[in-house]
Amino acid sequence: MSDARVQGYAKALFEVARAEGTLDEVEDELFRFARSYESSDELRTALSDEGIPAAKRQAIIEDLLGGKATPTTTQLVSMVVGSGRARELPAIIDKLVARASSSKNLAVAEVRSAVPLTDDQQARLKAALANATGSEVNLKIVVDPSVIGGLVATVGDTVIDGSVRTRVDQLKSRL
Amino acid sequence: MNAVVATLFAADEPIDPSRSTHWLFPVRAELLFGSIASILVFAVLFKFGWPLFQKALTDRTERIQSAMDESETKLAEAQTEAAEIRSAAGDIDAERQRLFTEADAEAESILRDGRVRLDEEIAELRAAAESDIALIGSRASGEIRSEISMLSRRAVDRALTGQALDDATQQELIESFISKVGAS
């Protein structure tokens, strides 16, 4: 899929969410769904399989998000999957998040952690990253057990890695 | 003695002219004829005997001279031959000395070449042995390092597999991260 098409979908989703007045919530839900999609082979296979009818793939989305996410989020994901663009869903959502953050003059800060962060921790981390990068950030927390411990923050091209996984990898590399 | 005695006792005897009164010289006639006869004899001897004698003397001188010349010639020849022999002996000595010198030089050269080759072979063997030792050591060291690395990685994986960090540690790591990022 071309970058222009990804941008087009992202813009469309962004405009729908903003029109519905749920941009922040939808953006956050889509971001988490995209990370789940990336981490689940089964989900990727099910949603991107052209052999499975679109209605059935959309039904899977309904089962997954129905009642757990806003209707707007569910409908947007269902729309993308029904259009046969499930493979590009993470890219589309990342563009959407970037566009939403940009509209608020924020930089997207994706933080991976082995365990969920408390609200207080998120607030302090947000302030710390803003201090470190020199710009306000739109914090996106991804719970990733492969991190083992600590955090990995990515802000644009800057990666701040304080994860146990990286230390273990470095130790294994030295060994 | 008898003549003196006879003279002493004969002083009183009468003088005989046919007999000389001198104890040494004869009477004059006898002396004259005797002298002439002697001169004749000497003349004949000088006339006929002297040339023979002189010839014999000359021949003898010539023979002696010839013998001396021959001796000198033979001596010269002998000396020449001796010189040749000495020269030949000297040449032989020189040749022998030259051969000895050449043999010594060749032996020295062969020995020197042999030593050089030996040193080179020793150096090559030593280098090859050191290379082999280094290779074996390196290989063994590499194998040991690889084995240690593999075992260490397995140990790390085994230690981490299925063992999540406890909550306190997780929180400590998160707080540490926030503090470090905020301080930077």
Side-chain angles (χ1 to χ4, degrees):
Chain A
M1 193 177 191
S2 68
D3 188 60
R5 189 167 294 175
V6 170
Q7 288 281 10
Y9 272 91
K11 184 179 179 183
L13 267 58
F14 171 79
E15 294 298 340
V16 170
R18 189 166 65 174
E20 291 292 331
T22 55
L23 180 59
D24 292 345
E25 197 173 3
V26 168
E27 171 214 345
D28 191 55
E29 289 172 351
L30 286 174
F31 180 83
R32 279 186 277 170
F33 180 79
R35 302 291 83 81
S36 299
Y37 178 85
E38 284 177 332
S39 62
S40 173
D41 292 337
E42 192 177 0
L43 182 60
R44 275 203 310 274
T45 304
L47 298 182
S48 60
D49 188 353
E50 298 291 337
I52 299 174
K56 197 166 185 176
R57 281 182 275 149
Q58 288 174 322
I60 293 171
I61 297 297
E62 292 289 339
D63 289 342
L64 286 172
L65 299 178
K68 299 174 187 172
T70 60
T72 307
T73 300
T74 306
Q75 288 167 6
L76 290 175
V77 173
S78 181
M79 185 267 290
V80 173
V81 171
S83 302
R85 305 298 179 193
R87 285 193 180 84
E88 289 76 33
L89 193 56
I92 293 168
I93 291 173
D94 287 343
K95 293 289 184 187
L96 164 66
V97 172
R99 180 179 285 272
S101 299
S102 180
S103 69
K104 292 181 280 189
N105 292 321
L106 299 176
V108 178
E110 181 182 310
V111 177
R112 290 180 176 271
S113 172
V115 294
L117 270 63
T118 63
D119 291 342
D120 176 59
Q121 286 173 331
Q122 290 188 32
R124 285 188 287 118
L125 178 59
K126 193 173 182 178
L129 288 171
N131 183 53
T133 60
S135 63
E136 293 298 319
V137 297
N138 180 8
L139 193 63
K140 298 295 180 187
I141 305 296
V142 178
V143 177
D144 182 358
S146 69
V147 174
I148 300 176
L151 300 172
V152 181
T154 305
V155 184
D157 295 331
T158 303
V159 178
I160 305 169
D161 196 334
S163 68
V164 174
R165 165 54 61 193
T166 300
R167 294 179 194 174
V168 169
D169 289 343
Q170 288 172 348
L171 174 64
K172 288 168 73 175
S173 176
R174 280 204 298 273
L175 290 173
Chain B
M1 181 62 95
N2 291 332
V4 172
V5 173
T7 305
L8 289 174
F9 286 103
D12 294 336
E13 293 180 2
I15 297 172
D16 186 358
S18 62
R19 295 185 63 184
S20 175
T21 60
H22 195 275
W23 62 274
L24 181 59
F25 293 111
V27 295
R28 286 184 185 173
E30 186 179 351
L31 182 59
L32 179 65
F33 286 110
S35 295
I36 293 169
S38 296
I39 289 169
L40 288 173
V41 168
F42 277 111
V44 169
L45 284 174
F46 183 77
K47 175 74 174 175
F48 297 103
W50 179 251
L52 291 174
F53 175 75
Q54 195 173 21
K55 185 177 182 298
L57 196 61
T58 303
D59 289 345
R60 185 169 177 275
T61 301
E62 287 179 355
R63 282 199 304 274
I64 291 169
Q65 186 64 43
S66 175
M68 288 176 66
D69 292 343
E70 188 178 356
S71 295
E72 285 181 358
T73 303
K74 287 184 178 178
L75 178 61
E77 289 177 356
Q79 285 176 342
T80 304
E81 192 172 354
E84 290 176 354
I85 290 170
R86 279 196 295 273
S87 176
D91 291 344
I92 289 169
D93 285 342
E95 183 67 13
R96 184 179 59 188
Q97 192 61 36
R98 188 182 64 79
L99 290 173
F100 283 160
T101 304
E102 286 182 1
D104 287 344
E106 192 171 357
E108 183 66 26
S109 175
I110 290 169
L111 193 62
R112 189 168 53 247
D113 292 346
R115 282 175 182 161
V116 170
R117 280 201 302 274
L118 195 61
D119 288 344
E120 288 175 353
E121 288 180 6
I122 288 171
E124 288 177 0
L125 287 172
R126 182 175 294 171
E130 288 176 351
S131 175
D132 289 345
I133 290 169
L135 184 63
I136 291 168
S138 173
R139 192 179 298 160
S141 177
E143 289 174 356
I144 290 170
R145 277 200 299 271
S146 176
E147 188 71 15
I148 290 172
S149 175
M150 186 185 70
L151 291 173
S152 301
R153 288 177 184 176
R154 283 183 186 173
V156 170
D157 287 340
R158 197 171 299 165
L160 294 174
T161 302
Q163 292 186 5
L165 299 177
D166 58 46
D167 188 58
T169 306
Q170 291 284 6
Q171 296 305 317
E172 185 181 338
L173 288 168
I174 291 168
E175 293 299 331
S176 173
F177 182 87
I178 293 171
S179 298
K180 286 180 181 175
V181 172
S184 62

